[in-house]
Amino acid sequence: SNVEGKLNENSFPPGFLFGTATSAHQIEGAWNLNGKGENLWDRFTHTYPERILDGSNGDTACDSYHKYKEDVAIMKEMGIQFYRFSLSWSRILPAGFSYKINPDGIRYYNDLINALLENNIIPMITLFHWDMPQTLQDLGGFSNELIVNWFEEYVKVAFEHFGDRVKLWITFNEPITICMYGYGRDTLAPAYNSSGISDYLCGHNLLKAHASAYHLYKNKYESKQKGKIGITLVSHWFESSSTFQTDLQAAQRKREFVFDWFAKPIFHPNGDYPEIMKKRIAFRSEAEGFTQSRLPQFSREEIEYIKGTYDYLGLNHYTTLMTSDAEEDAISDPSFDKDARVKSYYNPEWPSAASPWLKVVPWGFRKLLNYISNRYKDVPIFITENGFSDHEGLNDQERIDYYEQYLSALLDAIHEDGVNVKGYAAWSLLDNFEWKDGYVHRFGLVHVNFTDPERPRTKKASAQYYTEILRLRRLPKKKSFQIDSNFIW
Ligand code: PNW
């Protein structure tokens, strides 16, 4: 309407927070130093180096264990308002259980938190970003229901030691990635490769573990510490390939199997799994000869215990997939994909990142935000990850383009659609250990030289661009962002 209104539409709202994100195993290194216990990714990469694209591991990674002060200084220079990082469970509890606390683990995170606060950067802690202590993985990890107790013991230690200064907590990073890629398939550790069984079991126990951590915080810590606690879910946007009912329903089914699998039990007033999942999995389980559905059932009490366990929703989002209806597969072995019965593919015209799964589709971000906001009644959303991978280099114009387009879609979701987004974290602050892709696919705003034992950091053009967004609190013209050097990687 007026000039001010127009300006505001290009601007991020006053209280909106900008940050960057990392995770412990991807950046810390120091895998066996000063009392840290072995975790599942240490074991996996040491045992099966051939499963990692460059045969690498997280033994040293960015060496942020030693270089955290430099990381904080870089964020300070960039004007970063919050830093999302994760705690390494086995650095704090080397044996997994809380009978043995590693003082150096407590010391390390205290130092990091204090350095952030001294620089006016708000710490946001992910309690679990995939690095299960090996001791607990040996007992089945998320396939053992006792994970609920183990996780509660561990988060209690975190709340006790860090909760006086940390006000933003996330229980789990991407349950579906853990359960589908780690338990259902063999893409990520522990690679159980038991689709349609182990993935659902993992999800079931993880949801209960999340709820118990939430209740512990609310009952014992919130009144004193006054923080907020949520969970980070990840989802692509799934776009129907046609307007045929069957395809529209398939796209919706896929959204429910991927996003609502974990969102509905927590964020919907009725709780529990999506009806379509319960129905499809029960139907195929019976046809396969199972005596019960492969999707475990929540009791009435469990539904009540899990629903509403959030202060906010953390959302990781990267890309979009086209979907269409698939034929009912012949009854054979259990499989998540056969349960969902949806075909998916990328539009070949979409630009690709180095990671083959990551295509640049900014409108999908806006659609996903609207989907979530409509379904879950304006739930406060923190974007806890969004970013782009390339091979290596400082003049990362493609990353700048990605951020420009995705942040513009985010502004539309906020201003035109009224989606309640509280903040945004770029994945990632640093080039880091990208799980099975090793150091080949790089997501950093800041370059790390992994062949140099000092792990020197150099800001990329995208770091300058992000700095400028944070300074202006709107999207700047991007032409001027160039690294003035002759680096050839
Ligand atoms: C996230 N997908 O995982 C993780 O939280 C990060 O640790 C990781 O480094 C980052 O994204 C980049 O991969 C994802 O298949 C795993 O679409 C899989 C997908 C997306 C994100």
Side-chain angles (χ1 to χ4, degrees), residues 331-467:
I331 296 303
S332 57
D333 292 330
S335 133
F336 177 93
D337 288 332
K338 291 176 186 176
D339 291 337
R341 216 193 75 211
V342 180
K343 283 188 278 201
S344 58
Y345 60 94
Y346 294 101
N347 181 332
E349 283 163 22
W350 293 337
S352 191
S355 315
W357 56 267
L358 208 178
K359 312 296 178 194
V360 183
V361 196
W363 53 261
F365 190 20
R366 183 173 175 184
K367 288 201 175 189
L368 175 66
L369 287 165
N370 275 280
Y371 176 80
I372 294 170
S373 185
N374 292 334
R375 239 173 138 74
Y376 299 108
K377 293 273 178 286
D378 300 324
V379 56
I381 300 173
F382 252 98
I383 307 302
T384 43
E385 286 180 28
N386 176 240
F388 179 89
S389 63
D390 59 17
H391 282 99
E392 191 166 10
L394 294 179
N395 275 316
D396 53 343
Q397 299 304 317
E398 289 178 307
R399 179 168 292 104
I400 291 176
D401 291 345
Y402 181 94
Y403 279 121
E404 190 207 28
Q405 296 175 68
Y406 273 69
L407 285 169
S408 170
L410 176 60
L411 279 171
D412 289 344
I414 292 171
H415 292 302
E416 315 222 347
D417 313 330
V419 181
N420 185 9
V421 186
K422 300 291 187 197
Y424 174 96
W427 182 272
S428 177
L429 174 65
L430 302 170
D431 286 344
N432 60 47
F433 178 67
E434 177 54 15
W435 310 111
K436 68 174 174 35
D437 297 326
Y439 299 97
V440 180
H441 300 163
R442 290 162 178 256
F443 279 89
L445 297 167
V446 175
H447 176 268
V448 178
N449 182 350
F450 293 103
T451 56
D452 185 327
E454 296 299 317
R455 298 295 191 271
R457 281 101 160 108
T458 312
K459 279 189 236 161
K460 303 180 189 177
S462 60
Q464 295 179 18
Y465 178 67
Y466 200 56
T467 304

Side-chain angles (χ1 to χ4, degrees), residues 36-277:
K36 177 179 164 294
E38 187 187 22
N39 71 41
L40 141 94
W41 275 91
D42 297 322
R43 176 69 64 89
F44 188 74
T45 52
H46 296 156
T47 315
Y48 309 107
E50 71 281 1
R51 297 211 195 176
I52 310 300
L53 199 53
D54 53 2
S56 69
N57 54 53
D59 290 4
T60 309
C62 308
D63 201 20
S64 287
Y65 176 79
H66 293 109
K67 297 182 63 103
Y68 70 91
K69 283 186 185 151
E70 200 178 314
D71 297 343
V72 173
I74 291 170
M75 285 190 276
K76 173 78 176 172
E77 279 172 23
M78 292 174 65
I80 298 295
Q81 295 173 282
F82 76 98
Y83 179 43
R84 174 182 179 235
F85 62 97
S86 79
L87 304 182
S88 159
W89 185 337
S90 69
R91 190 180 299 289
I92 296 172
L93 307 180
F97 302 100
S98 66
Y99 72 94
K100 208 158 64 182
I101 299 178
N102 175 22
D104 182 70
I106 303 292
R107 190 272 317 153
Y108 173 67
Y109 293 113
N110 272 331
D111 288 353
L112 171 59
I113 292 162
N114 294 339
L116 289 165
L117 293 173
E118 280 158 23
N119 288 282
N120 282 315
I121 301 168
I122 300 165
M124 173 189 256
I125 289 188
T126 311
L127 289 155
F128 185 87
H129 198 125
W130 306 1
D131 47 356
M132 180 73 75
Q134 186 59 42
T135 50
L136 304 182
Q137 196 63 52
D138 288 340
L139 300 171
F142 287 105
S143 52
N144 190 329
E145 202 177 343
L146 290 172
I147 189 63
V148 180
N149 305 1
W150 306 334
F151 187 65
E152 190 175 320
E153 272 188 35
Y154 156 61
V155 302
K156 186 168 194 289
V157 173
F159 298 151
E160 290 279 343
H161 285 87
F162 311 127
D164 56 333
R165 287 149 296 150
V166 175
K167 306 301 163 194
L168 294 172
W169 297 97
I170 292 166
T171 53
F172 291 103
N173 178 66
E174 301 188 355
I176 193 173
T177 313
I178 299 169
C179 295
M180 192 159 86
Y181 293 100
Y183 288 72
R185 302 182 192 172
D186 63 359
T187 335
L188 296 175
Y192 281 176
N193 206 11
S194 137
S195 187
I197 297 178
S198 188
D199 35 19
Y200 298 136
L201 179 57
C202 165
H204 203 71
N205 293 330
L206 188 152
L207 279 162
K208 291 198 233 179
H210 159 80
S212 82
Y214 173 91
H215 288 298
L216 176 69
Y217 189 76
K218 290 283 151 172
N219 295 336
K220 297 254 167 71
Y221 297 95
E222 189 193 38
S223 64
K224 261 205 224 122
Q225 302 186 345
K226 307 221 164 11
K228 304 241 179 264
I229 182 163
I231 186 167
T232 280
L233 306 183
V234 62
S235 190
H236 295 345
W237 173 246
F238 300 103
E239 178 75 7
S240 177
S241 61
S242 89
T243 53
F244 292 124
Q245 272 308 310
T246 47
D247 286 334
L248 292 173
Q249 283 166 1
Q252 181 54 28
R253 208 157 55 238
K254 186 78 175 181
R255 292 169 203 142
E256 299 201 31
F257 266 80
V258 171
F259 183 73
D260 302 284
W261 173 11
F262 292 98
K264 182 161 178 273
I266 298 172
F267 295 94
H268 194 277
N270 298 340
D272 202 0
Y273 294 120
E275 292 306 318
I276 191 70
M277 281 187 82

